[in-house]
Amino acid sequence: MLLLALDTATPAVTVALHDGTDVIASSSQVDARRHGELLLPAVDRVLAEAGLKLDAVTGIVVGIGPGPYTGLRVGLMTADTFGLALGVPVHGVCTLDGLAYAADVEKGPFVVATDARRKEVYWARYADSRTRLTEPAVDRPADIAEVVKGLPAVGAGALLYPDTFPVAHAPEHVSAAALASLAAERLAAGEELPAPRPLYLRRPDAQVPKNYKVVTPK
């Protein structure tokens, strides 16, 4: 097994290689505006670090979000392209699950919250680092304050809203190393991973205007 993992659902552009036992190379850069520019060089970098070529990869792991449309689609389209070119399976992993897996929390339950912009967070509740209790959702922090009250929290969303998440833990952003390790663990156990389809949770900003005037030639 050689898994190439990548995620662009958060401001982190993150890539890793996993040989089925351990992470053998990884790279992470935080830049919310340069996902498309930074992702492929990061893939080249981890392959070079491991001394391997792309054709050695036997599977792709990609973070499926939730995340903003523009960033998230970069990782998903790249993963699909690699999968088609190499003829290997592409596995999805919820980005929040990757954060939970790497969480610096001794025991559950706890919450993972990432920045959804618009003064909202993407979040889910976990029993432990491997067990999600709720489906990913997007909400204003104040609207879920009672639901998450007293729970430790992980992620950039928790750091942004300390009134709702007073006890915040690392990591701030997801790492492909965690995604790859979680995926390898689940695949080894015979579990089926999600399809590589995006969890947007919100409608796109761009919409067809209502009541627009149709202009036709006479």
Side-chain angles (χ1 to χ4, degrees):
M1 178 187 292
L2 183 65
L3 298 176
L4 172 65
L6 49 96
D7 192 294
T8 57
T10 75
V13 180
T14 179
V15 179
L17 283 171
H18 196 290
D19 65 2
T21 302
D22 294 301
V23 175
I24 59 175
S26 63
S27 171
S28 292
Q29 296 172 269
V30 178
D31 192 328
R33 298 180 179 275
R34 300 172 64 208
H35 292 98
E37 180 181 346
L38 296 175
L39 183 57
L40 291 180
V43 172
D44 289 340
R45 192 159 52 248
V46 297
L47 288 168
E49 181 182 337
L52 297 168
K53 300 293 186 181
L54 184 61
D55 60 8
V57 170
T58 62
I60 310 294
V61 176
V62 61
I64 60 174
Y69 176 80
T70 302
L72 186 54
R73 66 178 178 173
V74 172
L76 286 163
M77 291 301 297
T78 302
D80 279 344
T81 300
F82 281 152
L84 287 170
L86 298 172
V88 300
V90 181
H91 308 288
V93 175
C94 175
T95 297
L96 300 181
D97 290 356
L99 271 161
Y101 187 81
D104 185 19
V105 179
E106 291 185 4
K107 60 180 180 179
F110 63 93
V111 175
V112 174
T114 61
D115 182 15
R117 305 173 187 173
R118 304 182 193 172
K119 298 181 180 180
E120 294 179 327
V121 293
Y122 297 117
W123 70 284
R125 182 170 172 168
Y126 290 78
D128 53 53
S129 62
R130 293 169 174 80
T131 309
R132 177 157 39 88
L133 297 173
T134 62
E135 291 299 313
V138 58
D139 290 288
R140 288 182 176 271
D143 293 341
I144 60 171
E146 287 301 315
V147 177
V148 303
K149 186 176 181 179
L151 296 177
V154 174
L159 294 172
L160 280 172
Y161 302 100
D163 288 345
T164 300
F165 308 103
V167 183
H169 293 260
E172 182 176 357
H173 301 299
V174 71
S175 73
L179 283 180
S181 297
L182 178 58
E185 185 177 293
R186 288 177 172 173
L187 288 170
E191 295 182 32
E192 185 174 348
L193 297 181
R197 298 294 176 262
L199 287 172
Y200 290 131
L201 302 189
R202 281 194 305 224
R203 296 181 63 83
D205 291 332
Q207 297 183 24
V208 177
K210 295 181 180 179
N211 301 321
Y212 64 91
K213 184 177 181 181
V214 177
V215 179
T216 57
K218 293 182 180 180

